[in-house]
Amino acid sequence: MAISRRAFGIGLVAASAAATGGYVYLREHPEIAGRFGEAKRLFGFAGGEKEGFLANARVKNTLERRFGLVIDGRRAGSVEMVRERALLDQKPQFLWPSSSVLVEVARSSGVKISRDQVIFNSPIVLYSWDRIADGLVKGGIAQPAGGPRYTVDLSKLLKAIIAGENWSAIGVADLFGRARVVCTDPNKSNSGFMFAGLAASLLSGDVVMPETLSRIDGDVATVFRRMGFKPPSSGKLFDDYVAGGAGAQPLIVGYENQLVEWVLQDAERWKRLEANAPAKPVILYPQPTVFSAHPLISVERQADDLIEALTSESLLEMAWEDHGFRGPLGTIGKARNALLQSRLLERIDAVLPMPDAPVMLALLDRLAA
Amino acid sequence: MRIFGFLRRSLALLAVPLMAALLSGCGGPGPQFTILSGSENDILEPLVQEFCKSRNATCTMRYQGSLDIALALKAGDPGTDAVWPAASIWIDMFDTTRRVKMVKSIVRMPVILGVRRSKAQELGWIGAKVTAKDILGAVEGGKLKFLMTSATQSNSGAAAYLAMLAAGIGKPDLIEAGDLDKPEVLATARGLLKGVERSAGSSGWLADLYRDGERSGAHYQAIWNYEAVIKETNDKLIADNHEPLYAIYPADGVAVADSPLGFVDRGRGKEVESFFTDLQAFLLNGDTQGKIAKTGRRVEIGRATPLAADPKTNLDPSRPVTVIRPPEPAVIQKALLIYQEALRRPSLTALCLDVSGSMQGPGETQLLDAMRFLLTPARTREVLVQWTKSDEILVLPFSDHILWTARATGDENEQTGLLARALELRAGGGTDFYTCAAQALALMKPRLADGQHLPAIVIMTDGKSQGYMSTFESAWRADGHRVPVFGVTFGSEVDRGQLDNLAKLTGGRVFDGSKSLTDAFRAVRGYN
């Protein structure tokens, strides 16, 4: 059974070739690579609304075990992450903002993009409380949509805010002062950014263009000035909403998935709340609304693998089931949660496109002034 | 027998690590973890420590004012693994590099006015709906004075001040930029701030001062503070058989602190980060939130039952309050600047500076550095402790006698003159700060009569004083207990005892200047 020196030599070359080939193959197939060797660490910024998804043990586990990826995703506002030098200078390997328009903005900030792809979709909605929503129905601003869910005539609401109407004038008798809706800082975070775009389009009567912007930007600025302090991220604003209650946060802008995530985090809390709380959170779907797409921008080639991983069926289903993110085309996943079914609209047909990047940048400058 | 001996030794060797593992709990040792926190959270520290103990972790909570926490974030690495200020606005405005992540509100605390019950009765406020206008009326009519932390140094002071400003504007739901240019708004706010009897850089310390006032005979009338801190103060007052505070929730709006706990990413690895997420989850679980709710703090809907209302003190954490929206950051910054430069009660500060022989060398250098900071408007303005023309500054360098005295206003040129003189100081001789403090009091006396200024004596020293405390104490008592004494200690072998006694007597505080005299002097300014 002695092996000749020649055979040994050939075996060595073959083994080395197989190892090299295997290494190259595994590098190109992260799904297999994850099962072997050390995981690849990726650092980047993600919008606050995806912090829960990235912290989900099932997600982390799948990313690491199946795809060999460990994600260090820091929370940053979607707009600031594609514009602010203080963040970009930290050399993120990926950016995960919450609007496709921001891919263009990133490019114009000098970000070298290896690849970008929409991972999730979530409609922009208004969050309020049942008794306030019922008031808005009486005031002719909102309409019931079967069950504790509503649609809202956002254009009418915005006009009432611009006119400085009190809450009582729009049907909400027990709130003090002038009506307002609060969103995140549009210069930092995407939900505020998208709401600014949606408000501008609704006030101009169509998707706002460079030539129509100057006609309505003053009105948009009034809506934003009335908000006072605007938190830098949507996750923080939603936390303020649920923690502060109806008195502190009567009406805010958020993503549809935020309530889903909050309910799923602690189902018992939700049941207690539905049974006892003096006011219960409700979603008002603006008619029309805008879809927040969540494009992943890989800045370094290494982060391309993250796109592959996140668009895998298993992670997309986890995103819907545990976090309420709709898929890349705005469709919902397979899971149905009894706690929330009566509060979500399965189909959202009235969707407006976002204005172009140059119009949005001009609007942001106006709102920052 | 040899086999048994071998087995015994082997078992003994095995037992040592086994016992160690059992004694240290199930897992290995947890991380060393530090939290930079507002003083209002000290009552929650046992819960934090309970969690840390369960993980064999060593946790340290360092308490600072909101502005200190904000400035630590602004500088980059705050040197701690988590921050827990009173309100998220301090993180949002100052954490420009977004180092803080996973921020979650642990509790909610409205900032309200606690009024001595008999005073509330006298004002007709028991069971009544009280607005900020009513409070203004009582202050202007000379019927009410209160304790409030510095609006530029502490969150509860900022919150109370913004609520007063909003009331002055007459549309308390929001302060907008243009509102701060209106003379009538500023007049209202100035009127309300005339009611400030004592200020501080820390809400916890201010609450202690209120209780000390019951013992020392100062008997303060009211205090702006967090609802939960008013409750804690009442618990202690009632236990000591003192009169409790009656809670006033201004009907036209209060500011609410949201107590955010956030992780500071300093690259310490996954273990530290997951320790933080577990700590946060522990503080937010139903069981812990139930314990927290018992302290009078408001917790998120559905998490726990709030503390029952107490008709005697009017405290009711389930009472809905009208919340003033925090203004935009630029408006807040402008409001704070106006507070410091135009609206707060002007200060009358005597600085007793120790230039005795032991200060030679590094002591002298650091003292002069601290003076450069304190008397350079560009530097004090950065941290919102600048003097204004309405402030009065007395400087008294001393050894075993007073070398000279100088008086100036906060006018920029006068500060420059004062600084030039201070920079000529050289160390030598013995130490007697009692004489200096007594002399300072004598110099302040003519300016105290009209009650316009908020007075303080600040003694900076590195050593024990000669002379007797009675030199100062008798003069202070004769003057009617009006002036608090603050100490700033310096050097490694300082004996704080004498300064502590002076501070305790007068309702002052001693600050440790051994790490940074400049920081200590800045902290003192928050109290004056």
Side-chain angles (χ1 to χ4, degrees):
Chain A
M1 278 305 288
I3 300 171
S4 71
R5 285 175 64 175
R6 187 161 169 267
F8 182 75
I10 291 169
L12 204 64
V13 171
S16 136
T20 312
Y23 173 72
V24 171
Y25 183 81
L26 287 176
R27 258 183 51 159
E28 287 170 3
H29 292 81
E31 200 163 334
I32 300 166
R35 298 172 199 270
F36 305 96
E38 203 176 319
K40 185 157 71 182
R41 305 186 73 85
L42 292 173
F43 156 67
F45 293 108
E49 68 292 330
K50 291 180 288 273
E51 206 170 19
F53 174 78
L54 287 173
N56 182 334
R58 284 213 297 158
V59 171
K60 277 162 97 169
N61 217 4
T62 309
L63 279 170
E64 185 167 357
R65 296 264 169 84
R66 226 178 110 192
F67 297 98
L69 299 172
V70 173
I71 307 303
D72 174 12
R74 298 195 190 169
R75 174 191 193 137
S78 286
V79 181
E80 62 178 354
M81 79 171 75
V82 296
R83 292 177 91 191
E84 294 292 329
R85 288 288 17 134
L87 300 183
L88 292 172
D89 288 349
Q90 294 178 35
K91 304 248 177 290
Q93 292 165 293
F94 69 87
L95 300 169
W96 199 2
S98 324
S99 166
S100 296
V101 184
L102 295 172
V103 179
E104 283 316 301
V105 178
R107 211 166 257 133
S108 64
S109 303
V111 176
K112 297 266 180 293
I113 297 176
S114 166
R115 233 184 111 182
D116 71 275
Q117 188 164 326
V118 170
I119 311 288
F120 308 144
N121 263 302
S122 198
I124 290 285
V125 299
L126 301 188
Y127 282 107
S128 187
W129 305 88
D130 47 3
R131 62 191 167 94
I132 294 173
D134 290 340
L136 291 174
V137 170
K138 270 188 227 132
I141 302 266
Q143 302 78 36
R149 62 188 157 200
Y150 303 81
T151 56
V152 58
D153 184 340
L154 189 56
S155 171
K156 210 168 174 181
L157 176 67
L158 292 173
K159 283 174 186 156
I161 293 171
I162 294 162
E165 302 272 22
N166 279 342
W167 285 108
S168 52
I170 59 168
V172 187
D174 51 353
L175 279 182
F176 182 85
R178 289 169 302 169
R180 61 170 185 255
V181 55
V182 174
C183 66
T184 53
D185 184 341
N187 271 289
K188 289 183 175 162
S189 144
N190 181 65
S191 57
F193 174 84
M194 299 204 72
F195 185 70
L198 178 61
S201 293
L202 288 176
L203 291 170
S204 73
D206 198 355
V207 179
V208 69
M209 308 294 273
E211 53 279 13
T212 46
L213 181 65
S214 60
R215 198 159 45 78
I216 48 88
D217 62 352
D219 282 346
V220 181
T222 303
V223 173
F224 276 76
R225 206 177 53 245
R226 291 274 155 78
M227 297 177 186
F229 178 71
K230 291 167 276 294
S233 93
S234 43
K236 184 68 185 61
L237 178 59
F238 188 81
D239 283 351
D240 285 348
Y241 158 75
V242 284
Q249 298 286 8
L251 198 56
I252 68 154
V253 176
Y255 302 109
E256 178 197 43
N257 80 293
Q258 289 178 288
L259 183 68
V260 180
E261 206 169 38
W262 190 74
V263 169
L264 294 180
Q265 242 173 36
D266 187 345
E268 290 310 308
R269 168 181 63 188
W270 178 247
K271 285 178 198 158
R272 273 199 307 276
L273 192 145
E274 282 215 304
N276 306 318
K280 299 168 185 64
V282 292
I283 298 181
L284 290 88
Y285 288 87
Q287 295 266 24
T289 187
V290 278
F291 259 128
S292 157
H294 295 261
L296 193 115
I297 302 172
S298 62
V299 181
E300 283 181 12
R301 272 191 72 112
Q302 289 202 33
D304 290 359
D305 294 349
L306 186 56
I307 294 180
E308 293 303 323
L310 291 173
T311 46
S312 68
E313 204 185 324
S314 57
L315 280 168
L316 282 178
E317 187 58 31
M318 264 178 235
W320 166 250
E321 201 178 336
D322 293 357
H323 302 278
F325 285 115
R326 295 175 186 239
L329 300 172
T331 48
I332 59 175
K334 291 184 194 123
R336 293 285 178 279
N337 190 305
L339 293 175
L340 279 151
Q341 220 164 343
S342 63
R343 288 177 191 263
L344 305 181
L345 285 181
E346 288 203 2
R347 276 185 57 181
I348 295 165
D349 296 325
V351 180
L352 224 70
M354 277 293 281
D356 284 343
V359 180
M360 283 309 297
L361 290 175
L363 180 60
L364 287 189
D365 287 347
R366 176 72 175 79
L367 296 179
Chain B
M1 283 305 285
R2 280 200 355 227
I3 290 173
F4 280 120
F6 171 73
L7 274 175
R8 211 169 50 225
R9 278 196 304 277
S10 306
L11 281 172
L13 281 173
L14 274 172
V16 172
L18 195 68
M19 282 303 287
L22 285 172
L23 283 171
S24 67
C26 299
Q32 299 254 354
F33 197 85
T34 45
I35 304 172
L36 190 55
S37 164
S39 60
E40 65 286 344
N41 292 328
D42 67 344
I43 200 169
L44 305 181
E45 183 170 346
L47 291 170
V48 173
Q49 295 297 357
E50 179 190 323
F51 174 80
C52 297
K53 203 175 157 196
S54 75
R55 295 295 187 89
N56 295 322
T58 313
C59 296
T60 312
M61 280 181 74
R62 270 174 41 204
Y63 297 103
Q64 283 195 340
S66 293
L67 185 78
D68 286 300
I69 299 175
L71 291 174
L73 286 173
K74 194 181 175 190
D77 182 357
T80 60
D81 305 301
V83 286
W84 196 359
S88 24
I89 203 146
W90 300 99
I91 299 179
D92 297 339
M93 279 170 57
F94 290 87
D95 176 30
T96 44
T97 56
R98 296 280 169 267
R99 208 180 260 270
V100 183
K101 62 181 193 180
M102 296 181 284
V103 181
K104 277 200 190 320
S105 165
I106 305 297
V107 297
R108 324 280 296 180
M109 295 182 293
V111 174
I112 60 170
L113 183 67
V115 183
R116 171 183 292 279
R117 201 172 191 285
S118 56
K119 189 72 188 172
Q121 188 110 42
E122 178 194 318
L123 292 165
W125 289 356
I126 305 286
K129 183 175 156 186
V130 180
T131 62
K133 208 175 155 195
D134 298 323
I135 299 170
L136 175 67
V139 170
E140 285 188 331
K143 292 181 193 152
L144 182 69
K145 284 198 171 300
F146 49 78
L147 312 184
M148 177 184 133
T149 60
S150 160
T152 61
Q153 307 296 309
S154 156
N155 182 69
S156 68
Y161 163 64
L162 290 174
M164 291 182 206
L165 262 186
I169 291 160
K171 50 170 176 86
D173 53 343
L174 180 67
I175 306 169
E176 292 176 45
D179 295 331
L180 298 175
D181 302 324
K182 295 177 189 158
E184 66 275 17
V185 170
L186 302 186
T188 308
R190 193 179 290 115
L192 274 161
L193 291 171
K194 272 195 186 135
V196 176
E197 191 169 11
R198 285 290 306 274
S199 193
S202 148
S203 38
W205 188 86
L206 198 71
D208 289 344
L209 177 70
Y210 183 89
R211 289 192 300 114
D212 280 346
E214 295 300 276
R215 278 198 290 273
S216 71
H219 296 303
Y220 300 108
Q221 297 174 354
I223 176 170
W224 282 100
N225 218 316
Y226 302 107
E227 181 186 41
V229 175
I230 301 272
K231 189 223 168 257
E232 282 151 30
T233 308
N234 269 346
D235 289 347
K236 292 174 188 163
L237 285 169
I238 292 165
D240 293 343
N241 283 323
H242 292 304
E243 193 180 351
L245 289 157
Y246 186 83
I248 299 293
Y249 298 81
D252 38 3
V254 295
V256 176
D258 61 346
S259 184
L261 174 64
F263 178 66
V264 181
D265 200 329
R266 300 197 294 155
R268 287 189 61 201
K270 211 166 154 183
E271 189 207 356
V272 177
E273 185 169 334
S274 67
F275 176 82
F276 171 83
T277 45
D278 292 350
L279 167 66
Q280 198 179 46
F282 168 80
L283 290 172
L284 288 171
N285 78 34
D287 189 33
T288 317
Q289 288 269 296
K291 288 179 190 161
I292 292 177
K294 287 202 173 74
T295 68
R297 282 158 175 78
R298 297 176 179 225
V299 300
E300 196 179 284
I301 41 167
R303 284 210 200 267
T305 316
L307 201 71
D310 175 12
K312 196 174 170 213
T313 60
N314 200 34
L315 279 162
D316 179 9
S318 60
R319 176 199 308 256
V321 288
T322 302
V323 180
I324 299 168
R325 270 208 64 66
E328 297 200 48
V331 178
I332 294 181
Q333 269 155 1
K334 186 171 174 185
L336 294 182
L337 195 71
I338 295 174
Y339 168 88
Q340 188 64 20
E341 295 192 341
L343 299 180
R344 72 182 158 88
R345 245 180 99 185
S347 55
L348 170 60
T349 314
L351 301 167
C352 280
L353 307 176
D354 183 348
V355 284
S356 60
S358 56
M359 290 289 287
Q360 275 171 358
E364 188 182 284
T365 313
Q366 290 190 34
L367 172 67
L368 297 184
D369 275 349
M371 286 303 107
R372 273 188 204 99
F373 160 74
L374 211 53
L375 298 170
T376 305
R379 291 184 61 195
T380 46
R381 198 171 288 126
E382 274 177 22
V383 286
L384 288 167
V385 294
Q386 66 271 37
W387 311 90
T388 68
K389 283 179 188 166
S390 319
D391 294 317
E392 289 199 31
I393 315 161
L394 294 163
V395 177
L396 301 91
F398 69 92
S399 53
D400 47 8
H401 63 287
I402 295 162
L403 305 186
W404 45 261
T405 61
R407 182 189 284 269
T409 72
D411 174 84
E412 295 207 4
N413 289 330
E414 291 192 36
Q415 285 191 57
T416 312
L418 214 51
L419 178 61
R421 255 192 110 179
L423 292 180
E424 286 167 10
L425 287 168
R426 293 297 171 265
T431 310
D432 178 4
F433 52 66
Y434 295 124
T435 304
C436 183
Q439 176 65 18
L441 192 64
L443 289 171
M444 291 164 105
K445 209 166 176 177
R447 304 295 290 125
L448 290 173
D450 60 8
Q452 294 292 314
H453 291 79
L454 208 54
I457 295 171
V458 183
I459 301 173
M460 200 287 314
T461 184
D462 74 334
K464 266 179 108 163
S465 183
Q466 304 158 350
Y468 301 98
M469 181 153 157
S470 55
T471 311
F472 173 76
E473 188 174 347
S474 49
W476 181 80
R477 289 195 185 281
D479 182 59
H481 309 181
R482 288 179 297 183
V483 183
V485 176
F486 295 91
V488 176
T489 59
F490 172 77
S492 52
E493 287 170 20
V494 70
D495 177 359
R496 283 176 57 125
Q498 289 174 312
L499 277 179
D500 278 335
N501 286 340
L502 272 178
K504 200 172 169 201
L505 170 75
T506 61
R509 186 175 185 179
V510 179
F511 295 87
D512 179 3
S514 58
K515 288 196 189 78
S516 164
L517 261 190
T518 306
D519 285 352
F521 271 107
R522 182 179 74 69
V524 175
R525 289 287 294 130
Y527 288 70
N528 175 223

